Amino acid sequence: MRILSGIQASGSLHLGNYLGALKKFADMQSLDATRFYMIADLHAITVWQDPALLLSQTREIAACYLAAGVDPALSTIFPQSAVPQHSELAWLFNCVARLGWLDRMTQFKDKAGKDKERASIGLYTYPVLQAADILLYRATHVPVGEDQRQHLELTRDVVKKFNHDFKTDYFPVPETLYQGPGARIMSLRDGTAKMSKSDPSDNSRINLTDDADTIAGKIKKAKSDMDALPSEEAGLAERPEAKNLVGIYAALSGITNQAVLDDYGGKGFGAFKPALADVVVDKMAPISEKLRALLNDPAQIDAVLARGAETAREAAAPVVKDVKKIFGLWG
């Protein structure tokens, strides 16, 4: 088993990123697998980024990996742009992928909107770069959220066409690695909107840099409703804020939503929110403390990234060399 995943280097990370990705990165270290976890800075520049801020965010996300328990002795942590083979393989796959495949990508349509003529070519073709990210390490399993499933399908299409056209089985067809509960955490201000680092309201999210008092205050202010919690999970269906808060409690505690309701069904949010705050503070405050310490020691972060990049380049170079040979190219 070979696993590849990553987080885009744009904006500060929050509770949704922790439960949807970081915690799972750390948990997957128990698997008998080779793991590559990148900070996707090449993906970030598909839209304009302030260069100094991008460098800072790349370092901060690496620190988040470490604070969340991703061990560089067990997993390779690296900046995507430090491994030039990502871009090289992406060009080769541009000559394999079909225009019609990219035309079907709904995420480009969502991000570009009505101004698609003004969008960068990189934003349009970045699913091909994502395929290169995965296949550069010949990954067999990819943990993906719902919004990335279509891109993984494109990766699988690239593999099948490449292997068919060149009569080889060089690349494995990557499989989705199920991530379990907690992969989609919603805003604390709107249970119908995903928790986002771009939301203008800081109270909409628990930032990984928030201290214990800030976390408790945000949970207290989180939007809820007037009714008591139901005794059965089906009762959450039409109550997005209640469902979100119960889901956060369950994901951080490692239990099901129904198990939470077994304890708190029939009780109001006046009783539930303090208990939820205790759980969130207990799990997240130590991570926040570690993160702040790491950010005060950028040399330590940079050393981890440099070692990871070297390991990633060593793994990537022979793959690109093999692919170029299959294409009939020099080098």
Side-chain angles (χ1 to χ4, degrees):
M1 180 183 285
R2 295 172 70 84
I3 298 169
L4 182 284
S5 196
I7 295 176
Q8 190 171 129
S10 57
S12 298
L13 301 190
H14 51 68
L15 177 64
N17 300 124
Y18 172 71
L19 289 172
L22 296 173
K23 182 178 184 297
K24 299 181 188 308
F25 291 177
D27 290 346
M28 285 187 290
Q29 292 178 138
S30 64
L31 300 175
D32 183 13
T34 302
R35 289 161 292 271
F36 294 91
Y37 297 139
M38 68 179 184
I39 298 95
D41 50 355
L42 291 177
H43 289 304
I45 63 171
T46 56
V47 296
W48 192 88
Q49 301 288 336
D50 178 273
L53 184 59
L54 179 59
L55 283 170
S56 174
Q57 289 173 337
T58 299
R59 183 179 285 120
E60 181 176 327
I61 290 173
C64 289
Y65 284 13
L66 298 172
V70 180
D71 184 348
L74 300 174
S75 304
T76 300
I77 303 170
F78 65 100
Q80 182 189 23
S81 64
V83 184
Q85 290 86 359
H86 283 263
S87 299
E88 190 170 8
L89 189 59
W91 171 254
L92 297 173
F93 285 161
N94 275 337
C95 301
V96 175
R98 304 290 94 177
L99 194 63
W101 302 353
L102 291 173
D103 282 342
R104 292 194 293 270
M105 297 293 106
T106 57
Q107 197 169 97
F108 172 77
K109 297 172 186 176
D110 293 341
K111 289 187 176 182
K114 296 179 180 179
D115 294 326
K116 68 176 184 178
E117 299 297 329
R118 295 173 178 259
S120 73
I121 293 172
L123 184 63
Y124 182 74
T125 64
Y126 108 91
V128 179
L129 175 57
Q130 193 170 48
D133 298 334
I134 295 166
L135 299 176
L136 188 56
Y137 305 97
R138 302 179 75 186
T140 59
H141 292 79
V142 183
V144 293
E146 192 61 39
D147 58 346
Q148 294 294 329
R149 288 184 185 275
Q150 193 180 36
H151 293 168
L152 183 59
E153 286 305 313
L154 184 139
T155 300
R156 292 163 62 88
D157 289 340
V158 167
V159 170
K160 292 172 184 176
K161 183 165 176 55
F162 178 89
N163 288 349
H164 175 269
D165 288 354
F166 293 103
K167 298 178 174 58
T168 181
D169 58 359
Y170 185 78
F171 287 115
V173 179
E175 300 292 336
T176 299
L177 187 62
Y178 176 63
Q179 293 180 267
R184 188 172 178 84
I185 300 300
M186 312 307 282
S187 166
L188 298 180
R189 308 301 296 165
D190 179 0
T192 65
K194 191 173 180 180
M195 186 175 285
S196 171
K197 49 195 173 185
S198 62
D199 192 308
S201 172
D202 192 59
N203 284 326
S204 69
R205 58 187 171 269
I206 304 294
N207 301 303
L208 294 193
T209 52
D210 288 344
D211 60 24
D213 289 342
T214 302
I215 293 170
K218 287 182 176 181
I219 295 298
K220 182 179 180 180
K221 295 175 184 176
K223 186 177 180 182
S224 54
D225 56 41
M226 299 297 293
D227 296 331
L229 287 171
S231 297
E232 302 295 331
E233 188 172 1
L236 296 172
E238 303 300 324
R239 299 174 62 185
E241 283 77 27
K243 181 178 180 180
N244 187 42
L245 296 181
V246 169
I248 290 171
Y249 190 113
L252 286 173
S253 302
I255 59 177
T256 64
N257 286 1
Q258 185 57 55
V260 177
L261 297 177
D262 288 344
D263 289 335
Y264 292 96
K267 297 180 181 179
F269 284 95
F272 181 65
K273 279 188 176 181
L276 174 59
D278 287 344
V279 169
V280 180
V281 167
D282 180 62
K283 298 294 185 181
M284 302 309 297
I287 294 172
S288 174
E289 186 176 346
K290 290 178 186 176
L291 176 57
R292 290 195 296 272
L294 284 162
L295 292 174
N296 286 327
D297 187 7
Q300 180 183 352
I301 303 169
D302 290 353
V304 169
L305 290 174
R307 289 195 300 271
E310 183 178 2
T311 299
R313 287 192 294 267
E314 289 174 354
V319 174
V320 169
K321 185 175 181 179
D322 287 346
V323 173
K324 290 170 75 174
K325 184 178 179 180
I326 290 171
F327 266 100
L329 299 169
W330 289 95

